[in-house]
Amino acid sequence: MALPDGHRYEIVNGELIDMGSLGALHGYICSLLLSALMGYVLPKKLGVIFDSSTAFKMKSGNRRSPDVSFFAKERLQGMTQLPTGYLDGAPDLCVEILSPGNTVEEIESKIAEYFENGARLVWIVNPVQHFVLVPLCRRARSPAEISGCFGWRRSHPRLCPVPVRTVSTPCVLGEEWHR
């Protein structure tokens, strides 16, 4: 969610949390991922892709806004159009791009809440070290189990339709940019 000050916000435990405004690298990676996912999802009519301006209502009442997300068409059955308000539950794919201010606790809390609310896959993109982490959590029955079962796997081509090199390629501005 965004307010007129240009910052992004989430509602967590009844508090408005300022997610800050993000830099060029963050926006560039979001754009690459949105473009790649749309190129894969839309032609196959698999569902819809959202950017970080979309918040999702969690069971706890929290509103979470992943940097990039995918909601499968099966979960949209019966809708003739997308709501102007929030969709209930976490998207099927939640992508978080790490920022310098993120803490381990904050990211683990988001991951746990995403899985608890129906996410099937979460990607944590580290733009500085150029890799994507995919938290593995199977058959967790409670938030405590989700928090305790994280295994981490660097992304693998069979796990994601977006090549990791696409995400990790640094943006190099050519000579024409500087003229």
Side-chain angles (χ1 to χ4, degrees):
M1 298 183 304
L3 292 177
D5 64 4
H7 287 216
R8 293 180 332 129
Y9 292 88
E10 290 184 339
I11 298 173
V12 180
N13 300 323
E15 292 184 41
L16 193 61
I17 305 297
D18 185 349
M19 305 305 290
S21 57
L22 304 167
L25 180 60
H26 191 278
Y28 175 71
I29 292 170
C30 282
S31 297
L32 286 176
L33 285 170
L34 285 165
S35 177
L37 285 169
M38 285 205 172
Y40 183 82
V41 168
L42 294 181
K44 298 176 186 294
K45 299 180 181 175
L46 299 174
V48 292
I49 303 293
F50 296 103
D51 68 8
S52 63
S53 66
T54 307
F56 298 89
K57 185 179 177 185
M58 304 292 121
K59 293 175 193 173
S60 65
N62 289 348
R63 306 295 192 274
R64 294 288 191 180
S65 301
D67 292 314
V68 176
S69 55
F70 162 74
F71 218 85
K73 72 177 178 183
E74 294 81 24
R75 295 183 58 201
L76 300 170
Q77 294 299 320
M79 290 185 192
T80 56
Q81 64 183 31
L82 290 171
T84 56
Y86 307 110
L87 285 167
D88 289 329
D92 294 280
L93 168 65
C94 302
V95 179
E96 291 290 346
I97 299 167
L98 296 179
S99 300
N102 289 132
T103 65
V104 171
E105 294 79 15
E106 171 192 358
I107 295 300
E108 285 185 349
S109 173
K110 284 184 177 190
I111 294 167
E113 191 159 34
Y114 290 149
F115 280 129
E116 180 185 298
N117 284 272
R120 294 191 278 173
L121 188 60
V122 177
W123 295 347
I124 306 299
V125 178
N126 187 323
V128 175
Q129 295 181 3
H130 304 285
F131 63 84
V132 177
L133 294 174
V134 180
L136 303 176
C137 190
R138 298 185 182 102
R139 296 185 203 98
R141 293 178 296 275
S142 71
E145 285 184 41
I146 292 171
S147 296
C149 74
F150 292 133
W152 295 98
R153 176 176 294 171
R154 286 187 185 253
S155 55
H156 187 277
R158 287 183 295 187
L159 291 175
C160 24
V162 180
V164 175
R165 69 178 168 273
T166 300
V167 176
S168 63
T169 302
C171 175
V172 179
L173 303 177
E175 287 292 319
E176 65 279 356
W177 181 266
H178 297 289
R179 290 183 194 161

